[in-house]
Amino acid sequence: MNNRSKKSYQYGIIGGGISGLQLALALIDDSHFAETSILIIEKEKKDTNDKTLCFWEIGNGKWDDLLSNRWTQGKFINRDGEQSVLNLGDYKYKMLPSINFYKYALSKLKADPRVTWVTSDVIALTEESNNVSIQTSEETYQVEHCFDSRVTVDYDQVATESAMVFQPFIGIEVQFDKAVFEAESFTMMDFQYRREDNTAFFYILPLSETRAMIEYTLFVPKNPSDMEQYLAHIDSYIKAKVTDQEYTLKHTEQGMIPMSTYPFHNANTQLLTKIGTAGSWVRPSTGYAFKYIEYYVGKVIDNIKAGKLPSQNLFNRRHQMMDGLMLDLLQNENTLGPWLFDTMYRKVETPLIFKFLDGKTSLLEDLKIMNSFKWAPFFRAIRRQWF
């Protein structure tokens, strides 16, 4: 990558994760930024498969060449073991290993002379009159506008001010000797094997009839201190509900996604735009982020080209309100979670659910979804949120 001595850039991106890399790719792919200089500061090498990125979309998409799998069928399994077939309509559910995305993004960015990559920690960020000063342990850089993916608020504090639910997860990729899975169908949620009285479920992504990623996910008010304790849950689930065959462990991953209506984006200024989780770019009611990031990156690019602030008019207040009610119930009445999702996947067409979670539904469509539920729990959430 370009190691020029110049220390001033038009755009600085702090963080070479999913949001930072998507933004950088969008900048270099748009002819409007043909003469733009871009600084990316990332403390890690981004050379490991640290997460599995999943999303849905209609038809073909820009990331299809990077996918490891895709499905046109799915299922939901409630606490009693009853299955609901998910008819995806025109949608496909897609799986993208993060390492595929990292390799693709870094190969493009390394080849572009407009981009300078710095591997370092950011120590200080200072907004000056017409630029932002970024201090690392080795150097100080000036940028005309900074995009920052770091979350600088404490999640415990967030939980005292806004609806807040943690989504910790741990997943294993397993290989069996004989056929076990329906390779063409994924399991969105399986609530039938629960070890605690909370909203916790299993998630199965078959890669073939003998291989799959199986993940244990929780939506809980407090983040467990040790997710590895749940590896035993996955093993017990496999033996009780999947197969009694022995398996070979191929890969393990774990993480935590904050789900909150907290306005992280209020930290945006004329010269600084928060991105990713730090910019409220994660859908609060689900934790899905990859396609949301793509959407917000597109809005940021359009805003810049129109001479607006990058962060201008990014959010839909109606959907934020609905997310807040769902999160309130998961935070304060967590045991209702399995009922909420069972109701949604049994009574609402899957394409409409996906459309809502993409933030593309109309008011009438939103009301149709809300009318699928009993209203009493949501009235309680409204009272807690607004009164």
Side-chain angles (χ1 to χ4, degrees):
M1 188 166 287
N2 187 353
N3 291 315
R4 60 193 173 195
S5 59
K6 183 180 179 182
K7 305 302 180 187
S8 296
Y9 303 85
Q10 287 172 275
Y11 296 113
I13 300 174
I14 299 177
I18 302 301
S19 57
L21 292 177
Q22 282 210 43
L23 176 59
L25 290 171
L27 287 169
I28 67 171
D29 285 343
D30 194 306
S31 60
H32 180 85
F33 305 97
E35 305 298 324
T36 297
S37 56
I38 304 166
L39 170 71
I40 304 173
I41 303 176
E42 166 57 46
K43 62 183 179 180
E44 298 176 350
K45 293 183 178 180
K46 313 309 293 184
D47 58 357
T48 60
N49 190 37
D50 55 3
K51 58 177 68 74
T52 298
L53 307 167
C54 290
F55 56 94
W56 51 79
E57 63 184 344
I58 294 176
N60 299 324
K62 66 187 295 184
W63 313 108
D64 280 6
D65 290 342
L66 307 180
L67 301 177
S68 61
N69 217 326
R70 72 193 79 192
W71 298 269
T72 57
Q73 300 177 37
K75 67 182 71 168
F76 174 94
I77 305 174
N78 69 12
R79 288 170 294 184
D80 299 322
E82 298 172 343
Q83 293 191 18
S84 297
V85 176
L86 305 182
N87 180 0
L88 306 191
D90 293 332
Y91 284 90
K92 296 178 182 177
Y93 194 77
K94 302 182 178 184
M95 177 179 181
L96 197 171
S98 61
I99 189 62
N100 292 5
F101 177 73
Y102 296 149
K103 287 180 177 179
Y104 167 78
L106 291 176
S107 66
K108 287 198 67 173
L109 295 170
K110 284 180 179 180
D112 197 297
R114 293 168 289 177
V115 178
T116 296
W117 183 283
V118 173
T119 302
S120 186
D121 275 317
V122 172
I123 297 174
L125 194 69
T126 306
E127 291 188 50
E128 300 171 352
S129 58
N130 58 0
N131 61 44
V132 178
S133 177
I134 306 173
Q135 181 184 349
T136 71
S137 53
E138 296 85 17
E139 187 62 76
T140 298
Y141 305 88
Q142 277 74 44
V143 299
E144 295 177 17
H145 195 94
C146 182
F147 297 95
D148 186 2
S149 65
R150 298 171 303 158
V151 177
T152 55
V153 295
D154 182 82
Y155 287 135
D156 290 335
Q157 179 62 32
V158 167
T160 67
E161 299 180 20
S162 302
M164 176 79 186
V165 173
F166 295 93
Q167 185 187 148
F169 62 88
I170 185 164
I172 61 174
E173 186 178 323
V174 293
Q175 175 73 56
F176 295 93
D177 290 334
K178 298 179 181 179
V180 172
F181 305 103
E182 299 175 37
E184 70 281 357
S185 178
F186 73 101
T187 301
M188 177 68 82
M189 291 176 160
D190 184 349
F191 282 100
Q192 65 181 322
Y193 186 81
R194 297 168 64 226
R195 298 297 295 270
E196 296 91 9
D197 191 21
N198 55 25
T199 299
F201 56 91
F202 290 88
Y203 175 48
I204 303 178
L205 300 172
L207 302 174
S208 70
E209 291 183 342
T210 59
R211 192 179 184 117
M213 172 66 75
I214 301 179
E215 185 178 289
Y216 184 65
T217 300
L218 301 96
F219 292 165
V220 286
K222 294 184 178 180
N223 187 26
S225 58
D226 176 20
M227 278 303 294
E228 291 191 3
Q229 64 181 301
Y230 295 117
L231 285 172
H233 285 18
I234 301 178
D235 182 70
S236 297
Y237 168 77
I238 291 172
K239 292 175 180 177
K241 299 298 181 182
V242 180
T243 179
D244 58 3
Q245 286 188 51
E246 294 297 318
Y247 59 83
T248 301
L249 179 63
K250 295 293 185 180
H251 172 68
T252 302
E253 61 184 48
Q254 68 180 78
M256 191 282 291
I257 301 170
M259 301 162 61
S260 178
T261 54
Y262 181 83
F264 295 98
H265 55 279
N266 281 355
N268 294 336
T269 68
Q270 292 282 332
L271 302 177
L272 174 71
T273 300
K274 289 287 193 174
I275 63 175
T277 300
S280 306
W281 288 11
V282 175
R283 184 68 194 258
S285 57
T286 65
Y288 279 88
F290 187 77
K291 287 295 287 184
Y292 250 59
I293 289 169
E294 181 182 329
Y295 166 77
Y296 286 126
V297 163
K299 292 281 286 184
V300 164
I301 296 296
D302 289 344
N303 282 341
I304 294 173
K305 291 165 67 173
K308 303 176 182 178
L309 279 179
S311 58
Q312 187 169 328
N313 296 326
L314 294 186
F315 304 106
N316 183 307
R317 291 183 61 83
R318 186 176 77 253
H319 290 148
Q320 287 180 316
M321 179 190 70
M322 295 178 70
D323 283 342
L325 296 179
M326 177 70 82
L327 287 181
D328 181 279
L329 290 176
L330 290 174
Q331 181 179 26
N332 295 294
E333 302 181 51
N334 191 258
T335 57
L336 289 180
W339 165 77
L340 287 170
F341 291 107
D342 185 22
T343 300
M344 183 169 66
Y345 280 106
R346 278 190 300 104
K347 294 187 175 182
V348 182
E349 303 92 334
T350 306
L352 183 57
I353 295 173
F354 286 172
K355 187 178 180 182
F356 167 73
L357 296 177
D358 282 338
K360 297 179 179 178
T361 44
S362 66
L363 176 59
L364 288 177
E365 288 171 324
D366 289 343
L367 291 173
K368 179 180 179 180
I369 293 172
M370 291 301 297
N371 283 332
S372 302
F373 297 93
K374 295 178 181 177
W375 279 87
F378 291 95
F379 284 135
R380 295 196 296 270
I382 290 171
R383 186 169 61 248
R384 283 189 295 263
Q385 288 286 302
W386 297 329
F387 298 101

